[in-house]
C-alpha cells in the first residue's frame, strides 16, 4: 500500500491575515518537534482585498522567506481575492458568487482578464525570487476563461475542492479535502458534521488536504479542531507533504523542488 500523505494548506495568506495565523503556525511548529517535519503550503494573495501589495511589507516578505527556508511551499492564490466582476446574471452565478462565496475572483473573468492577473501575480513572486509552482483560485472557482488562461502559463498544478490537477494538461489527481465555513455559527455547526463525514469517507485516500482559512483562527474550537486533526492524522501514519511535492510524485517526469 502506498504511503498516505497529508497536505496542510493555509489559504488567504497576506499581511492582513498574518495576525490570525501567527499563533496557529507557532503551534504547528511546536507539534513538529514531537511529530516530525510538517511542511505547509501557503496560498499567497498578492493584493488582498485591494489593501496593497504584500511585497510592500518587509516583515511579511521576511516571514515567507523563512518559511521557504524551512521547506514550505508558496503558491499563488488569486490576485485580489475578491469578486469585483459585474453582478451575476444567471441563477447559477448568483448561487456560486453570492451564496457559496463572495470571493470567487476568477469565476467571471474572461481569458484576457484572468491572464493579466495570473501574470501580475507570477511577476510579484519572481521579484521576490519565490518559486511559483501552483495557482489556486479563491474559493476554488474558475470560469472557462480563467482555465484557458491558466493552461497557457507555466504553473505546475491547480486544484478544486476534490482534486489536484497537473498542468498544462489538467490531469486530475484525486485529493479530497476538509474545509470549514466558519463565518457564521450555523455554518460552523454544519462544518463540524460535514467534515466528520468527509474525513471518514477519505480515510483511505492517498492524499488528504486540510484547507485552513484565517477566519478559522478567530474561533478557538475551530482552531483546536485543526491542530488536533493534524496531530491525529500524523499519528495514524499520514506523512505531511507540500502540494507541489505530491503532484511531482504522481506525475511522470515532474520534479519536486
Amino acid at each position: 500500500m502506498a504511503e498516505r500523505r497529508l497536505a496542510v494548506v493555509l489559504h488567504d495568506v497576506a499581511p492582513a491575515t498574518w495576525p490570525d495565523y501567527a499563533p496557529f503556525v507557532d503551534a504547528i511548529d511546536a507539534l513538529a518537534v514531537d511529530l516530525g517535519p510538517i511542511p505547509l503550503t501557503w496560498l499567497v494573495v498578492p493584493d488582498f482585498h485591494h489593501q496593497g501589495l504584500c511585497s510592500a511589507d518587509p516583515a511579511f516578505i521576511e516571514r515567507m522567506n523563512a518559511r521557504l527556508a524551512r521547506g514550505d511551499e508558496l503558491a499563488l492564490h488569486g490576485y485580489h481575492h475578491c469578486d469585483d466582476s459585474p453582478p451575476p446574471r444567471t441563477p447559477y452565478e448568483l448561487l456560486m458568487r453570492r451564496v457559496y462565496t463572495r470571493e470567487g475572483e476568477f469565476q467571471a473573468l474572461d481569458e484576457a482578464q484572468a491572464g493579466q492577473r495570473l501574470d501580475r501575480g507570477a511577476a510579484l513572486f519572481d521579484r521576490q525570487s519565490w518559486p511559483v509552482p501552483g495557482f489556486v483560485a479563491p474559493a476554488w472557482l474558475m470560469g472557462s476563461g480563467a482555465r484557458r488562461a491558466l493552461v497557457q502559463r507555466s504553473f505546475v498544478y491547480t486544484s478544486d475542492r476534490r482534486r489536484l490537477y497537473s498542468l498544462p494538461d489538467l490531469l486530475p489527481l484525486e485529493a479530497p479535502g476538509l474545509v470549514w465555513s466558519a463565518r457564521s455559527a450555523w455554518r460552523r455547526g454544519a462544518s463540524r458534521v460535514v467534515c466528520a463525514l468527509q474525513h471518514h469517507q477519505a480515510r483511505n485516500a492517498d492524499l488528504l488536504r486540510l484547507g485552513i482559512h484565517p477566519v478559522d483562527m478567530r474561533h478557538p474550537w475551530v482552531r483546536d479542531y485543526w491542530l488536533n486533526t493534524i496531530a491525529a492524522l500524523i499519528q495514524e501514519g499520514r506523512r505531511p507533504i507540500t502540494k507541489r511535492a505530491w503532484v511531482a510524485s504522481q506525475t511522470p517526469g515532474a520534479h519536486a523542488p
Side-chain angles (χ1 to χ4, degrees):
M1 181 180 295
E3 183 178 31
R4 295 182 304 156
R5 304 296 185 94
L6 166 68
V8 180
V9 186
L10 306 183
H11 287 241
D12 311 352
V13 176
T17 63
W18 178 255
D20 292 315
Y21 274 133
F24 181 73
V25 173
D26 287 343
I28 291 178
D29 290 345
L31 285 178
V33 173
D34 296 323
L35 299 178
I38 306 177
L40 306 175
T41 295
W42 299 73
L43 302 188
V44 177
V45 184
D47 184 7
F48 185 73
H49 289 190
H50 298 274
Q51 294 178 14
L53 291 178
C54 64
S55 56
D57 187 320
F60 179 80
I61 297 301
E62 183 177 349
R63 293 183 188 110
M64 293 299 98
N65 286 336
R67 299 311 304 190
L68 281 172
R70 289 177 64 100
D72 290 1
E73 170 195 4
L74 308 184
L76 181 62
H77 190 38
Y79 193 82
H80 297 300
H81 206 288
C82 57
D83 183 352
D84 50 14
S85 296
R89 294 177 298 176
T90 68
Y92 175 77
E93 285 188 359
L94 182 66
L95 174 66
M96 299 308 294
R97 295 175 55 204
R98 293 297 182 266
V99 179
Y100 171 66
T101 183
R102 287 180 173 268
E103 300 201 339
E105 177 186 3
F106 276 71
Q107 176 70 6
L109 297 180
D110 63 28
E111 183 177 346
Q113 293 168 329
Q116 182 184 53
R117 296 192 193 193
L118 290 169
D119 291 342
R120 290 168 65 192
L124 182 145
F125 272 57
D126 186 62
R127 289 194 296 272
Q128 306 307 320
S129 299
W130 294 344
V132 58
F135 170 77
V136 179
W140 297 283
L141 292 178
M142 278 196 296
S144 57
R147 286 192 294 272
R148 288 193 299 270
L150 182 62
V151 299
Q152 297 174 38
R153 284 156 175 85
S154 59
F155 297 96
V156 175
Y157 73 83
T158 189
S159 63
D160 61 21
R161 286 289 298 267
R162 289 202 53 80
R163 297 174 181 86
L164 296 176
Y165 296 87
S166 175
L167 293 171
D169 54 2
L170 287 173
L171 174 70
L173 303 168
E174 285 297 324
L178 306 182
V179 63
W180 282 60
S181 181
R183 67 178 187 263
S184 68
W186 76 265
R187 287 176 180 266
R188 292 191 292 276
S191 293
R192 180 190 289 274
V193 175
V194 171
C195 274
L197 176 62
Q198 292 177 333
H199 189 173
H200 177 74
Q201 292 173 334
R203 62 191 182 279
N204 294 320
D206 290 342
L207 177 68
L208 180 63
R209 292 180 292 154
L210 306 185
I212 301 170
H213 290 78
V215 67
D216 299 349
M217 305 298 104
R218 300 166 199 166
H219 304 282
W221 59 279
V222 182
R223 174 184 176 274
D224 290 346
Y225 166 88
W226 286 124
L227 290 174
N228 293 336
T229 298
I230 291 168
L233 289 170
I234 295 173
Q235 290 166 346
E236 291 168 8
R238 286 193 178 272
R239 186 163 72 86
I241 192 171
T242 63
K243 291 171 71 175
R244 179 177 182 175
W246 168 254
V247 171
S249 74
Q250 302 298 303
T251 307
H255 300 283

